[in-house]
Amino acid sequence: MKPVAANIDLDQLRATLEHTWLKRRLLFLLRTERDEWLKAVATEPLPEVLEGIPAQIQQSRHLLSSLLEGYSPAQLIDQGVLAALPREARGLIRDAVHRAYLNSNVMQPLVARFGTALNDVESQAAQVPSAWATGVGNEKLTGVLMNLEYAAEQLRRALLDLPQEVVLP
Amino acid sequence: MKIFFFGTEQKLPLALQPNFSDYEDNWDDPWFWLVHPGSLSSFLIEKQEQVSKCIKRGGAILLVSGSPLCSEKEAQRLEAEKNDRIHFLRSSCTDSPVGSAPSRVALRILRFLKLIEDLNPYETVPWSEVEASRWPENLLAIYLVVKALQTCLEDESAIRNAWDLMDTEWKRKVWVNAWNEYHEDLKMNASSWTDAGLPALDGDLGMPVSSKVAAATTTLRRAFPN
């Protein structure tokens, strides 16, 4: 049985968000460049990594909307051994297995946690431009960046806590 | 070992790319290559000399791909030919069996590359760390059908009928393979199979009767990790 394309995309998107964006860029730069950023004058443009947050949030929302389906064992029905069954029977099994998966309620709390963490990052990130505009040494920007770092770390942890495999009911 | 990426960069998850070192054209350093070949045959033939040098220096090569590379049997043959210094990601093989799962390929490779960074030349490469654990394919199929029977009572007879109408040899093969996965591979207790209403292999090859479906579901579920 081969992995389905949708899940490969899901995996790549998750890895890219967790590793490339959060760990290696946003969190890394929030920790190493914050002091430099606080010295910047208001007329300087926002650092690229901060300016790019909305685009990454959009990608994260795409992932969020795919999570529940992406972990469903329903996708296994049309592969491997059961592919030999008549299409109508596969449809019945697929629907029943998906229903059992939803009833197991394994993914919903994880999806909710990811959604909450994403909302927090979005909310904190939305405050960055106005805080940046107030200029050098302002306490507001310090607080906003610290809160953003905390929210980004929570988002990363929510991504890491997603299951490693399709969830069986 | 330093890690070098060789192949079609845009097809590799972005998450993997920051791990790569800049390639230096001196063959004194052993390199671990992460390869995403456009085509397996052209890679191994066209890069034959470099592959040999890499291996001779104590390096190793992992071939990953979004598209099928070759059959698992062919992969095993090529790996043996290179003394296990090359490895084909099994999910990329044309006939890869049921995987656990589709997910986390990229994260698994990332974790694997961390191990590689600490590896010395000529050391045995822990290839198993890059592969997903595999679910027993036939047991999984049986489990999904039984779970469907348990979950959706209104469709139970239709699902049973579809199963019963399948070719006898097909059903026997599925049950025999499932039994082997259960008892031989997973070392699960033989009596728990019959206690759960799962069929004897020389008898009726139908699904467990309604009164045993719950027990069968519970028993089969133990074969899977999550």
Side-chain angles (χ1 to χ4, degrees):
Chain A
M1 193 182 295
K2 305 287 290 179
V4 292
N7 253 348
I8 292 174
D9 294 345
L10 200 70
D11 175 47
Q12 294 189 0
L13 181 53
R14 179 171 64 168
T16 300
L17 290 171
E18 185 278 319
H19 193 81
T20 309
W21 174 44
L22 288 169
K23 182 180 176 184
R24 298 190 81 122
R25 276 189 57 75
L26 182 59
L27 283 165
F28 178 76
L29 293 173
L30 279 169
R31 286 162 185 160
T32 57
E33 297 295 315
R34 183 163 52 213
D35 290 346
E36 289 303 310
W37 291 345
L38 291 172
K39 291 177 198 164
V41 292
T43 50
E44 284 187 37
L46 265 179
E48 194 182 335
V49 68
L50 298 179
E51 198 172 31
I53 291 175
Q56 299 295 340
I57 285 174
Q58 197 177 352
Q59 288 292 305
S60 303
R61 294 224 173 271
H62 173 62
L63 177 68
L64 179 65
S65 66
S66 310
L67 280 179
L68 212 50
E69 295 291 324
Y71 280 94
S72 173
Q75 63 196 279
L76 301 174
I77 306 299
D78 293 324
Q79 307 171 51
V81 175
L82 296 180
L85 288 170
R87 188 165 58 177
E88 190 182 347
R90 275 186 280 129
L92 295 175
I93 296 169
R94 191 186 309 114
D95 291 346
V97 165
H98 186 64
R99 191 188 304 177
Y101 157 75
L102 293 177
N103 291 343
S104 73
N105 205 35
V106 171
M107 277 306 293
Q108 287 91 330
L110 297 172
V111 172
R113 183 181 158 203
F114 179 59
T116 302
L118 185 55
N119 289 340
D120 285 349
V121 169
E122 188 170 35
S123 160
Q124 297 303 330
Q127 297 179 45
V128 171
S130 61
W132 185 270
T134 57
V136 179
N138 75 85
E139 286 184 8
K140 186 182 176 192
L141 183 58
T142 308
V144 165
L145 292 179
M146 286 178 71
N147 290 340
L148 178 61
E149 180 188 336
Y150 178 79
E153 182 59 41
Q154 297 309 305
L155 182 62
R156 182 170 167 259
R157 288 182 187 181
L159 283 166
L160 286 172
D161 284 347
L162 291 172
Q164 297 198 21
E165 299 163 335
V166 164
V167 174
L168 284 186
Chain B
M1 271 193 284
K2 291 179 185 173
I3 295 162
F4 172 59
F5 172 69
F6 205 121
T8 319
E9 195 161 327
Q10 66 272 21
K11 287 188 178 173
L12 204 71
L14 280 174
L16 297 178
Q17 294 180 14
N19 271 2
F20 306 137
S21 305
D22 290 331
Y23 177 64
E24 296 161 17
D25 195 12
N26 69 48
W27 296 99
D28 295 332
D29 283 338
W31 287 87
F32 184 89
W33 291 8
L34 182 66
V35 180
H36 187 298
S39 122
L40 174 68
S41 53
S42 65
F43 174 80
L44 286 181
I45 292 168
E46 289 169 17
K47 307 296 177 193
Q48 190 175 6
E49 188 184 347
Q50 291 94 324
V51 167
S52 296
K53 282 181 178 173
C54 171
I55 293 171
K56 194 176 172 186
R57 297 285 182 188
I61 301 171
L62 172 65
L63 296 109
V64 299
S65 176
S67 56
L69 293 170
C70 61
S71 69
E72 187 163 358
K73 194 175 174 185
E74 176 69 357
Q76 287 170 343
R77 188 188 69 75
L78 290 165
E79 288 164 4
E81 196 178 281
K82 302 292 182 195
N83 296 321
D84 219 23
R85 300 306 292 179
I86 69 171
H87 184 82
F88 298 84
L89 199 65
R90 289 297 186 264
S91 58
S92 294
C93 288
T94 48
D95 54 352
S96 67
V98 82
S100 53
S103 17
R104 288 227 162 176
V105 176
L107 288 179
R108 206 169 55 244
I109 294 176
L110 275 172
R111 279 200 300 265
F112 176 73
L113 293 179
K114 292 283 178 201
L115 297 176
I116 293 300
E117 282 172 349
D118 296 333
L119 209 66
N120 294 315
Y122 304 104
E123 264 190 287
T124 302
V125 181
W127 297 118
S128 61
E129 299 291 332
V130 78
E131 293 292 349
S133 58
R134 286 177 174 175
W135 287 350
E137 185 175 19
N138 296 276
L139 267 183
L140 177 63
I142 299 283
Y143 173 73
L144 292 172
V145 176
V146 174
K147 188 69 191 177
L149 293 175
Q150 185 192 31
T151 306
C152 213
L153 295 178
E154 65 270 27
D155 293 326
E156 183 181 350
S157 65
I159 294 170
R160 282 185 185 280
N161 283 342
W163 182 269
D164 290 340
L165 288 171
M166 292 300 285
D167 176 68
T168 303
E169 275 314 301
W170 180 84
K171 283 186 286 189
R172 187 177 310 283
K173 188 178 164 192
V174 176
W175 278 117
V176 167
N177 289 341
W179 162 255
N180 287 337
E181 290 164 354
Y182 186 82
H183 188 56
E184 304 295 330
D185 300 344
L186 297 172
K187 312 290 181 205
M188 296 182 85
N189 188 302
S191 62
S192 64
W193 178 273
T194 45
D195 291 347
L198 295 163
L201 303 179
D202 57 355
D204 173 33
L205 299 170
M207 284 287 147
V209 296
S210 298
S211 61
K212 285 289 191 180
V213 163
T217 308
T218 306
T219 298
L220 292 169
R221 183 64 182 83
R222 294 193 191 110
F224 305 98
N226 66 38

